[in-house]
Each structure stands twice: as structure tokens, then as C-alpha cells.
Amino acid sequence: MHGCGNDYVYVDCTKKMISDPVNTARFVSDRHFGIGSDGLILIGPSEKADFEMIMYNADGSRSEMCGNGIRCVGKYVFDHHLTDKTEIDVDTLAGVKHLSMTKGEDGTIEKIRVNMGSPEFKASRVPVIFPKDQMINEPMEVDGNLYHVTCLSVGNPHCVTFLSEDVRGLDLESIGPKFEHHDTFPNRVNAEFINVLDRTHLRMRVWERGTGETLACGTGACASAVAAVVNGFTDDTVDIALPGGHLQVTYDKNDNMIYLTGPAKEVFSGDIEIQEGFSHEGLDDVKIYHVK
């Protein structure tokens, strides 16, 4: 499934959890030896919500939250008859998120609005290593160049950089890892690079922690919209153009809540044999087990 091209492999674990999710994430995410995805999302039962979203990046590391991923979870559980509700709560490492889902003409879920919660700017909670309490429009040197960045958490850490040059020409493969692994970010960071097009439109590219460049990032879109608002660049509701499509983000300053709206799409379903101990080397020496 994907939301604006941000694609994950989803597994229904409401009745049985897979035994090795870290290795499974690495294998299925590989675009040559596996299925090909930005990561793995498991859908499990929850004692405090309707479902739990358990998310792994392509490198097997855990991630707290994914705005595109959680929309796909909503579509999955409704379209696959795990629920008949169009208003559900999903538990994540970033807290419980509420989803409001809209059906299309064929009766399947077409669009989802997610209450993403409140942004966190406190440096120690993003987290960033910085002498001030917040890091908003502050200078940071990366690879010998000075950038002005705004850092915040929307359940996971983000560093938003507004650029005057067109982000479509940015050498993200080079600069992205240097932001992700910068000493300022003890837990690494998701890095967003933004053009402000007008008061209601942004253009964005993103380097996601543990994955690399993706076609879209829901939490990154939220972080970028909030950063644009607090820096005075845009109105409270913005349309964000990403390589994979468009997302709408509203930052309601009155209740300090972020709302993300966008599509979700299922591409295919099937079975795969997972190679245990997967790596690009030694493929003849792996064990096989089955995931549906």
C-alpha cells in the first residue's frame, strides 16, 4: 500500500504476530531481492485503541509514527473487514491517533484525515542538542554550509529547512545522510527541504531516517507545515506538493493540533517466503519462512 508514493508492506497481525519483524522489514523492503518498500507496518490488536500500528523502517529500525502509513492502516482494516467503522483510533509509539475515513463510490476507503496531535518544539524532547530551549530558524552548519533550520517532533524528530533554490534540483542523496546523522540529533532525524510557493502552498523533498529519500512523508509534511506557520511563511492550512502527490495539512493554533488529510491505495496482496538472516551477501545460506 502507499500514500502519495510512500509505500509499505502491511501484514495483518491481529491474530498472530510474525516472529522476526526486524529481518522481515529488511527483506521485504529490498527493491531487488524482496518486494520493495519504504518499510514494514504490522497491524496488531490494542488494549487502548481499535488497532496498533507497529512500524519498521527499511533498515529494520523502529519508527514512532508515519502519517502516510497510518492512513493506509485505516484503509486496510476497513477494506479487509477488520472493522466496519469509519472513525477509529490507532495506537502508535507516538500515542493514539484518531482517523476519520471517507468512502469512495465503490465502498472502499478513499481519503483519510488523521489527528496527528500536537507539535513539540522543546529541544530536549525533539530531541536536539542545542543551548536554547527551542531550535526555530536557527543556524546549523552541515558539511561546511550554513543552513537555517526549524526542529520539532510530531511523534518523531524532524529538521525543516526552507530553501530559496528549487528543491527539485537538490542533491538529496549527498546532503540527506549528513542531516540525518548530524551530531545535533542524538536519535538521528528526518530532514525536510522546502520551497514556499505562496501562503497556501509548499513544495517538499524529504530524507527519512533509516530509509532515505521517499516520495512522501506524512509526519514530514506536518512538521513542514507547522514550521512554515510558526516562521510566518504561510496560513494555517497548506497544500504540500511531494514527488508522489499532494497532502493537505492544517495546523490549528487554537487547540495546538495538526490535521493531515490525504489518500491511501492498495497496490497488491500476496504471499512471500522470507529469507532469515537476509543480506545482499550469502543468499544461499539463509533459512526460509512464510508470511502472508
Side-chain angles (χ1 to χ4, degrees):
M1 304 182 74
H2 74 87
C4 293
N6 190 194
D7 60 331
Y8 291 86
V9 173
Y10 293 77
V11 181
D12 176 6
C13 294
T14 54
K15 294 182 174 61
K16 182 181 179 181
M17 185 60 63
I18 63 176
S19 60
D20 186 1
V22 171
N23 178 70
T24 301
R26 292 170 180 160
F27 177 66
V28 300
S29 299
D30 191 280
R31 298 185 185 276
H32 299 286
F33 295 98
I35 294 172
S37 66
D38 292 327
L40 173 72
I41 291 180
L42 311 178
I43 302 171
S46 173
E47 294 182 355
K48 54 184 177 181
D50 296 291
F51 299 95
E52 182 181 12
M53 179 176 85
I54 306 163
M55 179 185 171
Y56 291 85
N57 296 314
D59 65 357
S61 60
R62 282 293 302 271
S63 186
E64 299 91 340
M65 175 59 185
C66 174
N68 292 312
I70 200 170
R71 293 201 316 279
C72 289
V73 168
K75 179 176 174 62
Y76 186 102
V77 297
F78 184 90
D79 290 358
H80 289 263
H81 311 295
L82 299 180
T83 184
D84 59 1
K85 300 188 296 183
T86 56
E87 299 273 341
I88 64 169
D89 292 324
V90 178
D91 189 20
T92 76
L93 284 182
V96 175
K97 308 300 180 184
H98 183 75
L99 279 61
S100 301
M101 303 186 288
T102 303
K103 291 187 286 186
E105 293 182 358
D106 63 356
T108 63
I109 296 300
E110 184 176 76
K111 186 167 66 174
I112 302 97
R113 185 176 192 253
V114 186
N115 182 336
M116 297 287 287
S118 300
E120 175 61 72
F121 287 96
K122 188 174 178 64
S124 61
R125 294 179 181 173
V126 173
V128 297
I129 299 171
F130 193 63
K132 298 181 182 179
D133 189 54
Q134 297 181 337
M135 197 172 184
I136 298 176
N137 194 27
E138 295 285 353
M140 184 176 77
E141 185 177 327
V142 182
D143 196 32
N145 295 308
L146 194 64
Y147 299 86
H148 280 77
V149 303
T150 297
C151 298
L152 65 155
S153 172
V154 289
N156 51 5
H158 292 269
C159 176
V160 182
T161 306
F162 295 94
L163 299 177
S164 56
E165 64 267 27
D166 194 327
V167 297
R168 290 173 293 187
L170 184 68
D171 185 3
L172 194 54
E173 285 291 326
S174 174
I175 194 63
K178 293 168 184 175
F179 270 78
E180 177 185 355
H181 298 282
H182 197 278
D183 290 343
T184 300
F185 310 112
N187 294 341
R188 297 185 293 164
V189 80
N190 302 283
E192 288 78 33
F193 301 90
I194 307 297
N195 293 144
V196 179
L197 305 180
D198 57 38
R199 295 290 304 179
T200 58
H201 292 84
L202 302 175
R203 179 181 292 125
M204 167 181 155
R205 287 179 69 190
V206 58
W207 182 268
E208 288 201 52
R209 175 184 60 168
T211 298
E213 182 175 14
T214 59
L215 296 181
C217 174
T219 56
C222 292
S224 299
V226 172
V229 172
V230 300
N231 280 288
F233 298 147
T234 65
D235 299 336
D236 295 349
T237 296
V238 295
D239 179 274
I240 302 179
L242 304 112
H246 289 254
L247 294 169
Q248 184 186 79
V249 180
T250 296
Y251 177 37
D252 188 331
K253 291 181 289 187
N254 293 324
D255 64 4
N256 195 32
M257 288 290 174
I258 311 167
Y259 299 91
L260 171 69
T261 302
K265 183 175 178 59
E266 181 173 325
V267 180
F268 73 94
S269 61
D271 301 333
I272 186 170
E273 289 183 334
I274 303 300
Q275 297 178 347
E276 208 170 82
F278 170 74
S279 69
H280 291 169
E281 301 175 356
L283 291 176
D284 294 332
D285 300 321
V286 296
K287 299 178 181 178
I288 302 297
Y289 64 96
H290 194 69
V291 170
K292 182 175 182 179

